[in-house]
């Protein structure tokens, strides 16, 4: 029946399941947050100030709720960093990058939780005035670690993906797994560069407007959703 | 030493995976040894010690079963023959029958033993896992939200009491001192100011947290209305197509079979609730602004929740009744099995006892009733198999867990029911009593998620 086909369609079931996961919902909210930022910027430019205020309010609520969703997450990043430190068997560059990334995220999310307490009124809004910039700094450090990983993966993928001509079979052989690794490294590199630009802007090092930052955020959020979707 | 090997191998880049696996195996080998191992080395031990013969808790590790399972069949049979069993077939044979179950022990027993040997996950690990789930976040948020609302009520009452009773002297007495010394002296002279200051501070902070948590919980719930609407729309179109293609009679039958069911009612009520719940979220976000629609949404959100609770109670009570029935059936089956075992055990004892020819012939005589219950060898093996009784016990335990879960669910729904009854009928109830039902419902729901997470951690 049409009803059964659509209601029990794997994609719809997967979407419902995806929204029921913490990470899936967090990524969706991130996309909404950056979409609101982008939309609010263009609405103000076009003169729709009232609508822009509503969109900004939605952005504020979503930002607050994302912080709640990430509460206590630093613990899992610290655990991951400790495990990576103990594992001495992997590639040294990848390991170092991963440790920096995990520690950076742990520090970033701790600062983020403090920021959440400020927004809730648990901590006075006047205290830690530079907290948002410090949090962005930790995020940037985490992204640097991630960039090291991406570059190393790119190097490894590039070294492996040599095209060889097999004389016996007269066929050009390509290592498909290495090519996939190379493509994945390129994709992650692009995503991390865009996120790094957002983090640098948060630190006050760049002067990008909300339009550009919103766009970067939307792109990286969609890429993040694409990364999560298959594993759901 | 193993770690050194791994490091060395890792440094050299040789056999890394081999050493990793070895490390895993090594760790597995060095787990606490089972109690069976030392006793296995003494297979000629005449009979299991009294501690082994004890009636064990079905959920705990039954060492005697393991022991007997590992011992040779002949040794165990001799052991069983030597053990006296009352002729009235009383269920004291629990131990004895376990002894007879010296036939090759099955995997379920070992699996059960393995499971009971696993260390219970720590509360911290459970909390970490609980926070990773959406349900855990939501329930934890609910407990904190209602707990804070109760505290806020008492804080506001205390603040107003202090302000009312000390209204005439709310001027801060600094005396002859100035600056910090004046503040300290003032606080010493009028300690109620400390309480007032702390309570006011708490109110300011907690009010923000309560509203933030309320919005956060709504955000966690939102987004399901479109799927529910699509689901209902397709169900409707399917019924319409039956009417169009197969006639009115078939259509009415379809309506009766597909629409007058608890599932459809549940779907409809879920849509009803989620529409108004998400409308209220949109009000909070500033997307909607009509106050009349807001009042309408508030009223219908409470009503929809009320109907959902009643339906939930009906479903839970039905499920509880079914589960209890299933558990009783298995228990009765188990008792029948045990009685059959006892009868067989009696017949075995009677035939093997060293008696005179006269008594022997007397005892060897089987009454028609006993002959009727004498099963074939394969059925006898089935009856005596400890695997069957372990599986039944496991099933009873599993049903017991489900019954406990359902009882918690019913209690939670009752708390919700009382809470929402007060809201729907606008009853005048002392506010902390009203809120404590919300807190109770949240705590019960969280305990359910906690148990689920704990079980998942134990299984993984």
């Amino acid at each position: 029946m049409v009803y059964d086909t659509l209601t029990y369609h794997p994609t719809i079931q997967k979407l419902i399941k995806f929204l029921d996961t913490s990470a899936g919902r967090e990524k969706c909210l991130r996309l909404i947050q950056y979409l609101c930022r982008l939309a609010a910027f263009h609405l103000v430019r076009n003169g729709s100030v009232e609508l822009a205020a509503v969109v900004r309010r939605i952005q504020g609520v979503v930002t607050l709720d994302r912080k709640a969703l990430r509460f206590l997450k630093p613990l899992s990043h610290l655990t991951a960093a400790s495990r990576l430190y103990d594992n001495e068997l992997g590639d040294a560059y990848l390991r170092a990058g991963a440790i920096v990334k995990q520690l950076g995220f742990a520090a970033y999310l701790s600062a983020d939780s403090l920021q959440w307490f400020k927004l809730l009124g648990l901590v006075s809004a006047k205290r830690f005035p530079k907290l948002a910039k410090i949090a962005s700094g930790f995020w940037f450090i985490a992204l640097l670690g991630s960039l090291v990983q991406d570059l190393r993966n790119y190097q490894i993928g590039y070294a492996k993906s040599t095209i060889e001509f097999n004389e016996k079979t007269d066929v050009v052989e390509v290592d498909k797994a290495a090519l996939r690794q190379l493509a994945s490294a390129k994709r992650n590199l692009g995503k991390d560069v865009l996120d790094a630009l957002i983090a640098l802007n948060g630190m006050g090092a760049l002067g990008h407007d909300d339009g550009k930052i919103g766009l970067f955020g939307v792109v990286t959020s969609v890429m993040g959703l694409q990364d999560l979707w298959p594993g759901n | 030493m193993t770690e050194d090997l791994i490091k060395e191998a890792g440094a050299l880049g040789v056999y890394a995976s081999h050493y990793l696996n070895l490390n895993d195996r090594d760790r597995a080998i060095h787990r606490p040894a089972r109690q069976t191992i030392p006793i296995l080395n003494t297979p000629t031990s005449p009979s299991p010690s009294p501690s082994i013969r004890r009636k064990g808790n079905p959920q705990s590790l039954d060492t005697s079963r393991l022991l007997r399972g590992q011992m040779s069949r002949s040794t165990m049979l001799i052991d069983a023959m030597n053990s006296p069993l009352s002729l009235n077939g009383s269920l004291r044979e629990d131990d004895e029958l376990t002894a007879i179950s010296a036939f090759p022990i099955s995997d379920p027993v070992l699996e059960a033993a393995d499971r009971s040997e696993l260390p219970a996950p720590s509360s911290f690990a459970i909390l970490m896992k609980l926070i990773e789930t959406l349900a855990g976040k939501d329930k934890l948020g609910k407990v904190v939200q209602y707990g804070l609302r109760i505290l806020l009520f008492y804080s506001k009452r205390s603040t107003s009491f202090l302000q009312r009773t000390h209204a005439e002297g709310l001027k801060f007495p600094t005396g002859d001192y100035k600056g910090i010394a004046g503040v300290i002296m003032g606080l010493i002279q009028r300690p109620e100011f400390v309480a007032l200051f702390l309570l006011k501070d708490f109110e300011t902070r907690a009010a923000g947290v309560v509203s933030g948590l309320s919005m956060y919980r709504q955000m966690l719930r939102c987004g399901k209305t479109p799927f529910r609407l699509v689901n209902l729309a397709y169900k409707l179109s399917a019924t319409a197509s039956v009417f169009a293609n197969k006639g009115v009679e078939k259509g009415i039958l379809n309506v009766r079979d597909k629409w007058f069911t608890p599932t459809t009612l549940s779907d409809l009520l879920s849509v009803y609730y989620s529409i108004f719940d998400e409308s209220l979220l949109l009000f909070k976000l500033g997307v909607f602004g009509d106050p009349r629609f807001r009042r309408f949404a508030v009223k219908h959100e409470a009503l929809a929740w009320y109907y959902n609770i009643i339906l939930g109670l009906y479903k839970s009570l039905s499920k509880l009744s079914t589960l209890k029935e299933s558990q009783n059936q298995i228990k009765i089956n188990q008792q029948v099995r045990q009685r059959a075992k006892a009868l067989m055990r009696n017949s075995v004892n009677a035939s093997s006892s060293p008696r005179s020819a006269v008594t022997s012939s007397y005892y060897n005589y089987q009454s028609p009733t006993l002959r009727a219950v004498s099963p074939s060898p394969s059925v006898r093996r089935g009856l005596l198999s400890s695997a069957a009784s372990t599986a039944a016990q496991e099933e009873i335990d599993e049903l017991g867990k489900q019954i406990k879960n359902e009882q918690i669910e019913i209690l939670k729904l009752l708390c919700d029911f009382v809470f929402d009854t007060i809201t729907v009928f606008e009853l005048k109830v002392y506010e902390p009593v009203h809120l404590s039902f919300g807190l109770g419902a949240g705590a019960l729901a969280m305990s359910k998620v906690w148990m689920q997470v704990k079980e998942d951690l134990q299984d993984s």
Side-chain angles (χ1 to χ4, degrees):
Chain A
M1 277 172 78
V2 179
Y3 158 69
D4 288 340
T5 316
L6 283 161
T7 309
Y8 301 106
H9 193 279
T11 311
I12 290 181
Q13 293 302 314
K14 204 172 175 179
L15 183 61
I16 293 169
K17 205 176 149 195
F18 185 74
L19 285 174
D20 277 340
T21 62
S22 207
R25 195 162 276 258
E26 204 270 331
K27 287 285 171 205
C28 287
L29 287 177
R30 188 180 193 265
L31 178 62
I32 293 169
Q33 183 192 335
Y34 281 105
L35 271 174
C36 286
R37 199 166 172 176
L38 182 66
F41 175 77
H42 287 288
L43 284 169
V44 170
R45 280 180 74 177
N46 294 331
S48 309
V49 183
E50 281 183 14
L51 191 56
V54 173
V55 172
R56 279 207 190 283
R57 187 169 160 72
I58 295 171
Q59 186 197 329
V61 171
V62 171
T63 309
L64 196 70
D65 291 335
R66 277 190 65 219
K67 287 187 196 303
L69 275 172
R70 292 186 301 217
F71 183 56
L72 287 183
K73 227 179 161 198
L75 291 172
S76 59
H77 284 287
L78 284 174
T79 315
S82 162
R83 279 188 192 148
L84 283 164
Y85 182 78
D86 290 340
N87 178 17
E88 296 177 11
L89 296 174
D91 180 84
Y93 292 101
L94 284 177
R95 182 169 160 255
I99 291 171
V100 170
K101 181 181 165 182
Q102 296 297 338
L103 289 175
F105 270 122
Y108 162 61
L109 292 170
S110 303
D112 195 57
S113 297
L114 203 56
Q115 183 78 6
W116 181 49
F117 291 155
K118 272 180 75 175
L119 291 171
L120 285 178
L122 278 174
V123 176
S124 168
K126 288 174 187 170
R127 296 190 73 186
F128 314 117
K130 290 183 179 175
L131 191 62
K133 282 187 180 180
I134 293 168
S136 294
F138 285 132
W139 185 24
F140 183 68
I141 291 169
L143 289 168
L144 280 182
S146 191
L147 281 168
V148 170
Q149 275 185 298
D150 296 336
L151 289 169
R152 182 66 174 163
N153 273 328
Y154 182 82
Q155 193 187 16
I156 294 167
Y158 188 76
K160 280 184 184 173
S161 63
T162 47
I163 299 167
E164 285 179 3
F165 180 71
N166 192 330
E167 288 181 355
K168 287 180 187 172
T169 54
D170 283 350
V171 175
V172 177
E173 288 178 349
V174 183
D175 187 348
K176 285 182 182 171
L179 284 179
R180 272 199 297 274
Q181 189 184 356
L182 197 63
S184 164
K186 278 181 196 170
R187 189 175 176 282
N188 286 340
L189 197 64
K191 183 172 166 255
D192 287 335
V193 166
L194 288 178
D195 272 339
L197 288 174
I198 300 172
L200 279 171
N201 202 57
M203 286 164 69
L206 304 173
H208 291 315
D209 53 38
D210 273 3
K212 281 179 196 162
I213 296 301
L215 188 64
F216 296 160
V218 168
V219 172
T220 54
S221 299
V222 171
M223 288 170 94
L225 282 168
Q226 282 176 336
D227 290 342
L228 267 184
W229 184 258
N232 178 39
Chain B
M1 188 186 167
T2 320
E3 283 182 3
D4 292 342
L5 279 171
I6 291 166
K7 281 180 185 173
E8 194 183 334
L12 293 170
V14 186
Y15 302 127
S17 60
H18 165 75
Y19 280 111
L20 254 185
N21 294 336
L22 182 72
N23 191 32
D24 287 340
R25 283 201 301 271
D26 211 25
R27 253 184 265 130
I29 290 164
H30 284 94
R31 278 187 306 180
R34 287 185 196 156
Q35 279 179 289
T36 47
I37 294 167
I39 302 167
L40 272 175
N41 294 334
T42 56
T44 50
S45 93
S47 65
S49 65
S51 64
I52 292 166
R53 279 198 173 281
R54 75 186 187 280
K55 281 190 178 184
N57 176 359
Q59 286 188 340
S60 67
L61 170 62
D62 195 341
T63 327
S64 58
R65 281 183 185 178
L66 273 176
L67 268 173
R68 287 160 187 155
Q70 299 289 346
M71 289 167 98
S72 70
R73 180 179 168 175
S74 57
T75 315
M76 295 309 300
L77 273 175
I78 291 163
D79 181 35
M81 299 301 176
N82 291 336
S83 60
L85 177 70
S86 64
L87 288 172
N88 61 6
S90 70
L91 292 183
R92 193 174 64 81
E93 78 286 3
D94 207 16
D95 288 340
E96 313 303 332
L97 291 171
T98 319
I100 287 177
S101 67
F103 300 114
I105 200 142
S106 62
D107 284 337
V109 180
L110 288 169
E111 281 168 15
D114 280 344
R115 271 202 298 276
S116 59
E117 268 189 358
L118 289 172
S122 68
S123 300
F124 182 74
I126 298 170
L127 184 68
M128 284 293 294
K129 192 79 183 168
L130 184 122
I131 283 172
E132 279 176 24
T133 63
L134 270 190
K137 281 177 198 285
D138 182 43
K139 302 307 169 202
L140 195 65
K142 188 174 181 178
V143 169
V144 176
Q145 186 191 350
Y146 281 94
L148 279 176
R149 279 180 73 182
I150 292 172
L151 289 176
L152 261 176
F153 173 84
Y154 283 112
S155 171
K156 280 178 184 167
R157 205 177 65 161
S158 306
T159 312
S160 66
F161 170 76
L162 282 171
Q163 282 174 340
R164 206 170 50 247
T165 51
H166 302 283
E168 74 287 350
L170 270 179
K171 191 168 177 291
F172 198 73
T174 52
D176 298 333
Y177 300 94
K178 284 180 182 175
I180 295 173
V183 172
I184 291 168
M185 281 311 291
L187 289 177
I188 291 168
Q189 283 175 26
R190 301 287 300 274
E192 63 269 20
F193 274 100
V194 181
L196 199 62
F197 169 73
L198 290 175
L199 289 172
K200 279 281 180 193
D201 188 53
F202 170 73
E203 278 168 31
T204 318
R205 288 163 198 263
V209 177
V210 167
S211 71
L213 281 175
S214 164
M215 190 95 88
Y216 163 65
R217 289 188 53 231
Q218 269 188 310
M219 272 284 183
L220 291 184
R221 287 198 299 266
C222 76
K224 288 183 181 171
T225 310
F227 299 112
R228 285 171 178 158
L229 280 173
V230 165
N231 193 349
L232 272 178
Y234 281 111
K235 204 168 184 175
L236 202 64
S237 77
T239 306
S241 71
V242 172
F243 268 103
N245 300 328
K246 295 183 179 174
V248 179
E249 271 186 36
K250 293 269 182 191
I252 290 168
L253 281 175
N254 181 277
V255 169
R256 195 192 65 186
D257 294 344
K258 299 275 179 190
W259 287 86
F260 290 94
T261 59
T263 315
T264 308
L265 185 61
S266 175
D267 289 347
L268 283 167
L269 289 176
S270 298
V271 170
Y272 179 32
Y273 174 73
S274 58
I275 284 173
F276 289 106
D277 187 44
E278 288 175 23
S279 300
L280 286 177
L281 178 65
L282 292 175
F283 270 110
K284 285 180 184 171
L285 291 174
V287 177
F288 291 168
D290 185 8
R292 276 194 312 170
F293 181 58
R294 185 174 192 142
R295 277 197 297 277
F296 181 78
V298 166
K299 186 183 164 189
H300 282 275
E301 191 245 7
L303 269 175
W305 189 32
Y306 202 54
Y307 301 145
N308 270 302
I309 293 167
I310 293 167
L311 186 68
L313 270 172
Y314 164 74
K315 277 183 175 176
S316 289
L317 286 168
S318 309
K319 197 177 170 188
L320 183 69
S321 148
T322 315
L323 286 170
K324 280 192 171 171
E325 206 174 303
S326 307
Q327 199 189 35
N328 284 338
Q329 266 180 355
I330 296 168
K331 277 182 182 169
I332 290 165
N333 283 345
Q334 212 182 17
Q335 280 175 6
V336 168
R337 180 187 287 273
Q338 281 172 340
R339 285 195 183 279
K341 280 179 183 177
L343 280 170
M344 277 195 304
R345 178 79 187 93
N346 286 348
S347 66
V348 169
N349 268 356
S351 60
S352 61
S353 298
R355 294 186 178 98
S356 69
V358 177
T359 54
S360 176
S361 64
Y362 171 76
Y363 280 109
N364 280 340
Y365 167 74
Q366 281 192 329
S367 69
T369 322
L370 197 58
R371 270 205 302 277
V373 297
S374 294
S376 65
S378 61
V379 175
R380 180 185 287 241
R381 270 197 300 278
L383 277 169
L384 293 176
S385 160
S386 67
S389 60
T390 311
Q393 191 55 50
E394 276 182 4
E395 211 171 337
I396 289 171
D397 292 345
E398 183 55 38
L399 283 169
K401 273 184 204 166
Q402 286 181 28
I403 286 171
K404 196 179 169 188
N405 264 343
E406 218 51 50
Q407 284 168 339
I408 293 174
E409 178 68 18
I410 289 168
L411 270 177
K412 181 228 155 208
L413 286 169
L414 283 173
C415 282
D416 277 337
F417 181 76
V418 177
F419 181 86
D420 206 30
T421 303
I422 295 166
T423 313
V424 169
F425 297 106
E426 295 174 5
L427 302 175
K428 298 284 176 202
V429 178
Y430 186 52
E431 201 182 334
V433 173
H434 183 199
L435 293 173
S436 63
F437 282 105
L439 179 68
L444 285 165
M446 204 179 85
S447 74
K448 210 177 147 188
V449 181
W450 182 280
M451 285 194 299
Q452 184 61 48
V453 168
K454 190 178 175 183
E455 207 171 305
D456 289 350
L457 279 173
Q458 273 174 332
D459 288 346
S460 63

